[in-house]
Amino acid sequence: KGISPTGAKTFCGAIMSFYREFGYRVNVKTSRDFKALPKHIRFNWTVKDIRKICDHAKTLRDKAIILCLFQSGMDDHTLCSLNVGDVKKELLEGKIPLRLDLKRRKEGLPYITFLAKDAVEALKAYIKEREQKENRRFEEFKDEEPLFVVESWKRKKLERIKPRHIQAVFKKLALETGLISEEYIKNNHWNPARAHALRSAFASLLRSQGVNEQDIDFMLGHKIPYQQAYYQKEGERLRKTYADVMSVLSVFETRESISEVEARLTKKIQEQNTIISNLAARNRELESRFQELEDKVHEFLQEILLDKLVDLSIYEELAKKGVDIDIESIRQRLKQRLTDWRLTEEGQ
């Protein structure tokens, strides 16, 4: 129970070899309940599938791993071998596509591939998280340090991830997103939606854009007969070739990158600040005009009252005609009324 067909055959073979070494011949057959491992079953990744597992990725590291594998076409062993120095220079320079000078373990030959915008943005986010966890700037990372490390908050040592970590991530995400079922894994002991299948998706998409087959093989790390040395000198030409078609590798073409969101929000804030500044200036102008108008009204009212104080001829005429009018009393009353009005205005 819990042993794959391959594992069972390995164990039985080891036991039989042990006995044969000492002159005993033992024939052991595996249980008939074991089903043969499926052959030549391929999972055809689509951009939609890749977007789906990226959305379900639990960490920034896992999201960066998925996008880097897909947009470069590298295998999981090569990705695990990546060092900070492989991306540091062009990442700090902000180059897209970002060039990777690699060496694939299987072929043992150097080759060149690239990372498109999605992978670069995800890598930046992951590195920013590492900066915060490790309390140091990316510029301080040593070139020989592993780029992708085992997740740990203690961080006493930077442990390089291994292919088994990547395989576990893909298996979990494939099950969570429904790309494969628990029953399939149970019956076949194999995950077809594994990381290695992304290489086929990478090659197929570049092929659909008319990229030269040898260019694709070289960027996959395959051996190119008689031309390996020639391709090593073709880095910038390959960069241009990749840049011309990298839109087909875009996973989040309908979404904004982190930098684009920040730029859009910054622009929006600037626009709002401009509107607020204009409104504040307009408000100060209106306050100034209102104050001027208020001063004029006060001046006008005072002039009216002063006119009343000065122009007493009507009262004097009435007095001459024998009307009993105390002009001095009227003058004092008007003065008192003006004083009361001024005190009231100042109080308000």
Side-chain angles (χ1 to χ4, degrees):
K1 291 183 179 180
I3 300 175
S4 69
T6 303
K9 291 177 182 178
T10 300
F11 297 147
C12 291
I15 293 170
M16 289 188 286
S17 295
F18 173 80
Y19 278 99
R20 280 197 300 269
E21 181 68 23
F22 294 97
Y24 292 91
R25 187 169 186 81
V26 179
N27 290 319
V28 180
K29 293 183 178 180
T30 57
S31 171
R32 291 183 179 181
D33 292 337
F34 281 123
K35 293 183 179 180
L37 198 65
K39 301 294 183 181
H40 307 298
I41 295 179
R42 294 177 57 187
F43 185 86
N44 296 317
W45 284 99
T46 65
V47 171
K48 185 178 180 180
D49 293 332
I50 297 165
R51 184 185 305 128
K52 195 172 184 180
I53 64 167
C54 281
D55 287 339
H56 281 75
K58 299 297 186 295
T59 65
L60 293 174
R61 185 205 67 178
D62 291 349
K63 184 174 182 178
I65 286 173
I66 295 166
L67 291 170
C68 286
L69 285 169
F70 170 57
Q71 294 190 334
S72 70
M74 75 178 89
D75 60 82
D76 49 4
H77 283 88
T78 304
L79 182 130
C80 291
S81 69
L82 287 177
N83 292 328
V84 169
D86 293 321
V87 301
K88 191 174 187 179
K89 183 176 182 295
E90 294 206 351
L91 201 62
L92 291 173
E93 292 174 353
K95 286 191 177 181
I96 297 177
L98 184 149
R99 174 174 168 170
L100 294 171
D101 289 86
L102 306 173
K103 187 174 184 179
R104 193 174 176 215
R105 188 181 69 171
K106 184 176 180 180
E107 300 293 347
L109 294 171
Y111 73 101
I112 298 169
T113 188
F114 303 90
L115 295 178
K117 187 176 182 180
D118 292 331
V120 172
E121 291 291 334
L123 199 54
K124 286 180 180 178
Y126 168 60
I127 288 172
K128 187 174 183 179
E129 181 186 59
R130 275 193 61 180
E131 287 179 323
Q132 294 172 348
K133 287 182 178 180
E134 298 169 22
N135 194 27
R136 55 181 182 146
R137 298 172 63 231
F138 183 51
E139 291 84 346
E140 299 170 350
F141 287 21
K142 296 179 180 178
D143 288 351
E144 63 271 18
E145 289 182 22
L147 179 60
F148 292 104
V149 296
V150 176
E151 292 289 343
S152 171
W153 285 99
K154 294 182 180 179
R155 298 284 172 159
K156 291 183 178 178
K157 63 176 182 177
L158 299 174
E159 182 183 352
R160 188 183 299 273
I161 61 167
K162 297 177 176 61
R164 60 183 173 84
H165 295 134
I166 296 177
Q167 293 162 12
V169 167
F170 271 80
K171 181 178 178 180
K172 185 177 181 180
L173 291 174
L175 288 170
E176 287 181 356
T177 55
L179 297 179
I180 57 171
S181 64
E182 289 275 6
E183 184 180 2
Y184 183 93
I185 293 290
K186 182 179 178 181
N187 293 334
N188 297 284
H189 307 279
W190 186 64
N191 173 26
R194 63 196 192 282
H196 194 79
L198 289 174
R199 285 167 58 79
S200 298
F202 171 83
S204 297
L205 289 169
L206 293 189
R207 200 173 290 120
S208 71
Q209 299 301 302
V211 177
N212 182 285
E213 195 67 34
Q214 285 196 343
D215 286 353
I216 296 173
D217 283 342
F218 181 73
M219 286 189 280
L220 286 170
H222 292 164
K223 188 174 181 179
I224 309 296
Y226 314 113
Q227 297 190 41
Q228 204 75 24
Y230 164 76
Y231 268 95
Q232 286 301 316
K233 302 176 183 178
E234 289 289 285
E236 289 311 304
R237 181 189 68 79
L238 284 172
R239 192 200 295 270
K240 185 178 184 308
T241 299
Y242 184 96
D244 290 341
V245 299
M246 71 176 180
S247 60
V248 75
L249 298 171
S250 178
V251 177
F252 299 102
E253 73 281 354
T254 59
R255 304 183 185 185
E256 295 175 298
S257 66
I258 296 172
S259 59
E260 287 173 333
V261 171
E262 290 177 347
R264 181 171 57 82
L265 290 175
T266 300
K267 183 179 179 181
K268 190 70 175 177
I269 291 171
Q270 290 174 346
E271 291 175 352
Q272 291 177 344
N273 288 339
T274 300
I275 293 172
I276 292 171
S277 297
N278 291 338
L279 289 174
R282 179 62 174 167
N283 187 52
R284 287 193 296 270
E285 180 186 352
L286 290 174
E287 285 181 350
S288 177
R289 291 178 61 184
F290 179 78
Q291 187 62 48
E292 291 177 4
L293 183 60
E294 186 179 35
D295 292 342
K296 288 181 179 180
V297 170
H298 288 174
E299 185 180 349
F300 176 71
L301 291 174
Q302 289 183 44
E303 288 178 356
I304 292 175
L305 290 173
L306 288 173
D307 286 344
K308 292 294 183 182
L309 289 173
V310 174
D311 189 9
L312 297 174
S313 58
I314 185 171
Y315 298 106
E316 292 174 350
E317 289 295 326
L318 290 172
K320 288 178 181 179
K321 293 183 178 181
V323 178
D324 187 12
I325 295 176
D326 186 348
I327 295 178
E328 189 58 34
S329 176
I330 292 173
R331 188 188 301 275
Q332 292 300 324
R333 286 169 61 188
L334 288 174
K335 282 184 178 181
Q336 185 61 45
R337 190 175 297 174
L338 177 58
T339 301
D340 293 343
W341 177 82
R342 282 176 175 169
L343 288 175
T344 302
E345 286 297 307
E346 289 174 1
Q348 291 177 350

